[in-house]
Amino acid sequence: MAIDKLLTPHIVGKTTLPNRVWMAPLTRSRAAQPGDLPAELNAIYYSQRANAGLIVSEATQISQQGQGYAWTPGIYTDEQEAGWAQVVNRVHAAGGHISLQLWHVGRISHHLLQADGQAPVAPSAIQAQGAKSFVVLPDGTPSNEPTDLPRALELAELPGIVAAYVAGARRAVRAGFDFIEIHSANGYLLNQFLDARANQRTDQYGGSIENRARFVLEVVDAIVAAIGADKVGIRLSPNGVFGDMSPIDGEAMAIYLAQQLQQRQLAYLHIAEPDWAGGEALTDTFRQQLRAAFKGTLVFCGSYTAERAEALIQAGTADAVAFGRPYIANPDLVRRFTLGAELNQLDPATLYGGAEQGYTDYPALAD
């Protein structure tokens, strides 16, 4: 299949993007220390990939409580905001557009990452089975450790978390980001509220689909009120199992949320497909149901090739497709798709942590 529609411009919110090849959010664990700061190395990395229609940044914690892995960047201090502004300026100078993904990990954390060694928080005090948190041990050794048993959030704490999301969104706008993306996928806090197994609350935030979706929609509404719906996207992962999520009613939840997000006129809905983590693959029927429910920009992200992405867009099911690992190894991915060129192969050993190797040293095509 000829690659045509994938390379055409499209409008998201009030912004015209040059193509429909998006860069997916990718944790790379290279924030400068101390302070979990975006820095020059990160600015180089993202600006190299400014050919994407839209870059979605790596997940970025909205508070120390929201951190689940060492060396990931934040957006809750002035220094972090300044670091991100440096990144955004470089991306814009290279002709790109970028969205900041706002993140609270909830129970996917460890007391070594929390203030005063406290327990992580979650909708309910249920430990994520098999989940790991990347920490630096007291002796300085980096280690993947089982996540801790969380404590259940009190009702009185929820407005403070909403406020932290809003503060992160405001900082992102000040730093110059074109959009923000609410991370409600992949087993983290907002996904935990949506999940029928992780959320065992008996108050207005638990039980029915509508109740379990309540907190996510409160976060959406607060951010929209602060910065405008045309700058706000959200990521969902229906049928996802990462972080000990259950696909019990994941598709019904996603359709309900898509309908609610359509009412709010969000700029985009980003669907993380579950196949990368062993979940049940999404069906074409379900994708079409999402398309019918949400009329804004609909984006899918999975193990897509350029040809499969083109077919999805040609069919009208998607407006754009996000690429993750191909963008790690191919900073000039759009040019390679345009020319039908061979892709660089990924080095898995350099995915997380480190410096330039496996981060900013993947070669682009020669002119």
Side-chain angles (χ1 to χ4, degrees):
M1 174 181 286
I3 306 305
D4 178 24
K5 191 76 169 176
L6 183 64
L7 303 174
T8 61
H10 68 123
I11 298 173
V12 182
K14 298 177 181 177
T15 303
T16 300
L17 302 180
N19 61 67
R20 300 164 187 262
V21 179
W22 288 24
M23 178 176 166
L26 297 156
T27 293
R28 304 301 309 279
S29 303
R30 284 172 168 85
Q33 303 300 320
D36 296 322
L37 306 175
E40 173 67 12
L41 182 64
N42 313 112
I44 295 170
Y45 167 76
Y46 282 112
S47 64
Q48 287 175 337
R49 291 155 178 82
N51 56 86
L54 182 67
I55 295 169
V56 183
S57 81
E58 63 205 279
T60 300
Q61 59 262 12
I62 58 169
S63 63
Q64 183 178 351
Q65 184 192 71
Q67 185 171 13
Y69 308 88
W71 309 336
T72 57
I75 186 65
Y76 57 92
T77 70
D78 291 345
E79 293 78 13
Q80 291 165 348
E81 181 183 327
W84 276 121
Q86 175 186 3
V87 171
V88 172
N89 289 340
R90 292 284 283 276
V91 169
H92 286 167
H97 298 80
I98 186 167
S99 180
L100 182 70
Q101 191 183 67
L102 299 177
W103 191 28
H104 191 306
V105 300
R107 68 182 185 175
I108 308 298
S109 191
H110 189 278
H111 64 273
L112 288 175
L113 294 166
Q114 298 292 312
D116 302 320
Q118 298 177 33
V121 298
S124 304
I126 301 172
Q127 192 166 15
Q129 298 302 305
K132 296 293 182 69
S133 185
F134 178 66
V135 303
V136 178
L137 299 175
D139 66 1
T141 304
S143 179
N144 282 304
E145 295 292 316
T147 56
D148 285 341
L149 175 69
R151 65 172 181 83
L153 284 159
E154 301 287 343
L155 274 175
E157 295 179 277
L158 298 184
I161 294 178
V162 173
Y165 275 101
V166 171
R170 290 187 186 279
R171 285 186 180 276
V173 170
R174 287 200 299 266
F177 281 93
D178 301 285
F179 302 92
I180 67 92
E181 179 174 293
I182 301 166
H183 195 351
S184 188
N186 297 353
Y188 299 115
L189 181 66
L190 297 183
N191 195 180
Q192 292 157 28
F193 269 91
L194 300 177
D195 189 76
R197 184 169 61 199
N199 182 349
Q200 296 295 312
R201 298 179 75 95
T202 57
D203 57 18
Q204 65 265 42
Y205 293 95
S208 67
I209 283 178
E210 293 79 6
N211 279 359
R212 283 182 278 129
R214 188 183 307 276
F215 187 56
V216 172
L217 292 175
E218 287 179 356
V219 171
V220 169
D221 289 341
I223 292 177
V224 165
I227 68 170
D230 60 293
K231 290 184 175 295
V232 180
I234 189 169
R235 197 176 212 220
L236 305 176
S237 53
N239 291 349
V241 297
F242 188 79
D244 196 26
M245 293 290 96
S246 166
I248 292 171
D249 55 9
E251 292 189 2
M253 175 64 82
I255 296 298
Y256 172 75
L257 282 170
Q259 294 167 341
Q260 293 295 311
L261 298 169
Q262 172 60 28
Q263 292 177 20
R264 291 157 170 83
Q265 297 291 294
L266 243 61
Y268 70 85
L269 171 58
H270 186 178
I271 300 296
E273 302 204 15
D275 48 354
W276 69 277
E280 182 180 348
L282 302 185
T283 64
D284 287 338
T285 298
F286 174 62
R287 291 190 188 94
Q288 291 160 7
Q289 290 172 336
L290 282 172
R291 174 77 286 174
F294 186 76
K295 303 302 183 183
T297 295
L298 182 58
V299 187
F300 290 91
C301 181
S303 301
Y304 281 90
T305 62
E307 290 75 19
R308 286 186 59 224
E310 177 72 20
L312 201 65
I313 294 169
Q314 289 277 12
T317 306
D319 299 292
V321 172
F323 296 84
R325 293 188 173 209
Y327 244 124
I328 292 176
N330 297 274
D332 57 344
L333 188 64
V334 170
R335 186 174 184 216
R336 290 173 186 265
F337 283 170
T338 302
L339 299 176
E342 184 177 354
L343 300 185
N344 295 326
Q345 295 303 301
L346 181 75
D347 175 14
T350 57
L351 280 175
Y352 304 109
E356 293 87 354
Q357 185 180 0
Y359 190 59
T360 57
D361 64 349
Y362 282 105
L365 291 172
D367 290 334

